[in-house]
Amino acid sequence: MSYKTGMRTMLTTIVLTFGFVLLLVPLLPACNSGSSAGRQDAGGLDATLLPADSGLESQVTVLETLDIFPFNDDLAPGQPTVDIAFYITELGPLTWAELASNITRAKRILSEAGVSIRVTSALRISVPASWQSLDPDEVTMPTTPEFVTSDLYAHLNELQTRVTLRNEAIFEAITSYFPVQASGVTAENTIHVITLNEAPIAYYDWDGSEWSYQTAPTGGLSFPPYAYADRIPAGIRGVITLSFQQAPFFPETRVLSHEIGHKIINVSHEGVGVCPAFAANGPELMLYGDGENIPSTEAGRWHRERLLLSPFLYTLEQGVAMFQDRYQNGGVYRDEVYGNYIVSPICPPETK
Ligand SMILES: [Zn+2]
C-alpha cells in the first residue's frame, strides 16, 4: 500500500469540489452551516462595510523581492505566454523555496502544450494575521438538482458564486503591489498566486430532497472564469490561492499546474471520457491524481484548444504584449471566445 493510498484509507477522504478546487477534507466534516460566524474583520475594519477600494494596501508590507530569474531563462520567443505573479505571505503555509517544484512543473506541463509561463514577480509580504483566513464565497441556492449530474456548468451558474467584499478588498490590497510591466501586461491580465492558510469554498449539497449550504477548506482555489464570470472584479480575476500544506496526501507538486489549468483551460474536473464533476480521477491535468495530460480534440473535451484561446495569453510584438482576445460573456464555460470548442451536451444522459 502506498503512502498516498494509506493516507486515503486512514483519513476517510471526502472530496467535494465545485470542480474548481483541489479540496481534501480529512475525517471530518469540515463543513459548517451557512452562518457568517467565520467571517472576520479585515484588518480591524467591518468586513460588511468595505468598499471595493477600501484602502487596505497600507496594511500590506513588502518584506522582500524574491529571485525569479531561474524561472524565466528558458522563455520561448513568439510562444503564447501567461504571466504569473507570486505573493508569499509571512505567516502563510509555504515558502518561496517550497513552491519552486510546483513552478517548474507547471512551466514544463504548459510548455509541452505550447504555452510559456513567465514569472513576473515574487514578493514576500506581511499581511494582518486575520487575512490568513478568507471568507467562504457567497452563493445562491440553486433550484434544479439535475444539473449537478447532467451539467455542472449550469449548476455553477445557478450558484452565482461571488467573493465577499472582504475577500475582494484583501485581494485588491495584495495585488496592488503588482509591479508595472514594461510589456504592458496589467494586473488584470496576470495570474496572481497568493499563499494563505485558509481559503474555504461554499456550495450547496443536494441530499435527494433538499439543499444544504456547506463550506469546506481547500488546498488550492482558482476562482475560475467559468464559475465566477463577471461577478469577480477584473483586477483580481487572476487570483489563485494556495494552502496545500493541509493536504499531505495530494501530489503537492502538481497543485499549481492544476489550478492554473482551471483558470486558463477554464474547465472543471473533466477529461477523456469523464464528464465535468465535483470530483473525478484520471490521467489528465484537470482530474484528480497526478496526471499532466492536456488532451485535444472533442474526445479530449477541447482542453488544449481552449487553453490556446485563453484571454490570459499574449504574444510579444516588439516588446509589447498583444492579447489575442477577450471574454465575451465573462468567461463562462460556453463563452463565445471558445467558438466551437465547447462540448455539448455536457454530459450524456446515460452517464447520469
Ligand atoms: Zn481542481
Side-chain angles (χ1 to χ4, degrees):
M1 179 182 290
S2 71
Y3 172 73
K4 288 176 190 170
T5 305
M7 290 296 287
R8 286 179 187 278
T9 303
M10 193 164 57
L11 294 176
T12 311
T13 304
I14 302 170
V15 182
L16 295 165
T17 82
F18 270 133
F20 53 85
V21 294
L22 291 177
L23 179 150
L24 298 142
V25 188
L27 286 176
L28 96 176
C31 310
N32 304 313
S33 69
S35 78
S36 59
R39 196 163 183 154
Q40 300 177 30
D41 70 15
L45 298 177
D46 183 343
T48 63
L49 300 178
L50 289 174
D53 54 347
S54 59
L56 292 184
E57 293 85 352
S58 64
Q59 299 193 39
V60 179
T61 303
V62 176
L63 303 173
E64 183 181 5
T65 299
L66 301 159
D67 183 16
I68 58 172
F69 175 76
F71 301 113
N72 291 331
D73 60 358
D74 60 348
L75 292 177
Q79 191 170 58
T81 301
V82 57
D83 278 5
I84 305 185
F86 290 87
Y87 308 84
I88 313 300
T89 60
E90 184 183 28
L91 300 176
L94 297 160
T95 65
W96 181 232
E98 288 168 340
L99 262 183
S101 57
N102 265 265
I103 298 171
T104 53
R105 189 169 181 183
K107 285 176 63 73
R108 177 176 55 75
I109 291 173
L110 285 186
S111 176
E112 290 169 1
V115 171
S116 291
I117 287 178
R118 185 173 77 101
V119 179
T120 63
S121 52
L123 303 175
R124 193 166 68 86
I125 62 174
S126 169
V127 300
S130 63
W131 294 14
Q132 291 291 342
S133 297
L134 296 176
D135 298 325
D137 286 328
E138 295 173 351
V139 293
T140 300
M141 184 182 292
T143 58
T144 47
E146 63 271 23
F147 284 161
V148 175
T149 50
S150 66
D151 186 346
L152 188 65
Y153 300 113
H155 175 65
L156 294 175
N157 188 54
E158 283 199 321
L159 293 175
Q160 291 286 296
T161 304
R162 54 219 175 267
V163 298
T164 64
L165 284 178
R166 173 177 176 267
N167 286 2
E168 183 180 317
I170 289 172
F171 292 158
E172 288 179 341
I174 292 173
T175 60
S176 71
Y177 288 85
F178 175 69
V180 173
Q181 301 295 305
S183 61
V185 177
T186 65
E188 181 176 338
N189 297 319
T190 299
I191 290 179
H192 304 272
V193 176
I194 303 172
T195 64
L196 291 170
N197 286 325
E198 296 177 31
I201 64 163
Y203 59 98
Y204 276 95
D205 185 43
W206 178 252
D207 67 0
S209 61
E210 63 181 2
W211 295 103
S212 60
Y213 174 89
Q214 309 282 347
T215 65
T218 66
L221 190 50
S222 62
F223 303 94
Y226 68 78
Y228 291 78
D230 54 11
R231 291 182 296 278
I232 191 168
I236 58 170
R237 68 173 184 170
V239 166
I240 290 173
T241 56
L242 292 182
S243 314
F244 62 80
Q245 95 292 355
Q246 298 170 346
F249 44 86
F250 215 86
E252 291 189 349
T253 62
R254 201 196 66 147
V255 174
L256 179 63
S257 309
H258 178 86
E259 298 305 330
I260 293 172
H262 280 311
K263 189 77 90 179
I264 62 177
I265 299 173
N266 201 16
V267 296
S268 177
H269 297 133
E270 55 172 56
V272 176
V274 180
C275 296
F278 289 149
N281 298 308
E284 283 87 41
L285 178 64
M286 298 320 300
L287 291 169
Y288 283 172
D290 205 23
E292 299 185 345
N293 185 36
I294 300 176
S296 61
T297 76
E298 185 169 13
R301 305 188 70 88
W302 306 114
H303 284 190
R304 189 163 301 221
E305 291 82 358
R306 290 173 66 91
L307 167 67
L308 295 173
L309 287 170
S310 172
F312 282 96
L313 301 185
Y314 67 87
T315 53
L316 281 180
E317 292 185 14
Q318 298 181 328
V320 176
M322 304 297 289
F323 286 86
Q324 53 193 12
D325 216 333
R326 291 170 175 268
Y327 293 125
Q328 304 299 306
N329 193 18
V332 296
Y333 174 76
R334 296 176 176 83
D335 194 290
E336 287 83 352
V337 77
Y338 296 116
N340 294 323
Y341 297 132
I342 294 167
V343 179
S344 192
I346 293 296
C347 218
E350 62 270 22
T351 66
K352 283 182 182 177

